[in-house]
Amino acid sequence: MPVLEDLSLACADQSFTAVVGPSGCGKSTLTRLIAGLLRPDSGDILLHGEPVLGPRSSVGMAFQNPVLLEWRTIIDNVTLPLEIVPNDLSRAERRQRSHELLSLVGLGGFEDKRPSELSGGMRQRASLCRALVHRPEVLILDEPFGALDAFTREDLWQTMHTLRSEENITCLLITHDLRESVFLADKVVVLSGRPAHVQFTAEGGLGAERRLDDLYTPEATDLLHELRHQIEIAQGRSPADEQGESS
Ligand SMILES: Nc1ncnc2c1ncn2[C@@H]1O[C@H](COP(=O)(O)OP(=O)(O)OP(=O)(O)O)[C@@H](O)[C@H]1O
Ligand SMILES: [Mg+2]
């Protein structure tokens, strides 16, 4: 079954791209291709012009489920990638780097707790720190805030925006939350139904200093309206796809 077809997408260095689209259209498949966990049947995935042929440490990933190791403290969870990815840092430097990231996301003082002693939102913050601790150039986020309540999620948008600004990373976010895409991204891409291609792209984004209130400006409201319309078009393609599958 073809999942992605004729899909072309470019993400500028240090930009933030959000990808939205109907359930099952191939968003997670796209992230696995970019991360080098899957190989495309045809076409190329290029990172700085070089083909991606397998997983690499310069691409970090964070998922809906934080999957922290329960037997390790929070700081030891965050430091983990630095124990795996080759680097010249001493143990003290690794802990210092982890400590700085944890402080940045508001988890200063929770370093020695176990994951089960933290709330879902706090665990997700820790997992974002772990995804960034080895300074990847690219961070892929597959619905990282999907399992959180609305207020915690909005709080984490702000955290994510801070991390993105401080760490100078290129981000690709998969989300079903259109407000999240508009709040965080410089570019929002709507994928069509399966087999997915880029159906619609909106460039722009909010200012460097952004607040939740910015989502209620006329420009943001118009964009949200357009994105909703585009998703409906993308979903409208699904019945035709189901017929295609059975043939
Ligand atoms: N391991 C797999 N083996 C076979 N088919 C798969 C596999 N994983 C996903 N698929 C199929 O690929 C299609 C795309 O799946 P994918 O998980 O990429 O969708 P998605 O856009 O991330 O969906 P959602 O929004 O629900 O997370 C689906 O139709 C699914 O049936
Ligand atoms: Mg998915």
Side-chain angles (χ1 to χ4, degrees), residues 192-238:
S192 68
R194 224 176 36 231
H197 61 271
V198 174
Q199 175 186 300
F200 176 81
T201 303
E203 308 255 5
L206 306 178
E209 296 290 324
R210 59 195 68 174
R211 297 171 312 129
L212 285 172
D213 282 352
D214 297 338
L215 286 172
Y216 301 93
T217 61
E219 297 78 21
T221 313
D222 284 352
L223 177 54
L224 284 166
H225 194 240
E226 178 63 34
L227 291 171
R228 165 66 45 218
H229 175 62
Q230 291 293 334
I231 292 284
E232 279 165 8
I233 295 173
Q235 286 171 330
R237 282 191 46 164
S238 298

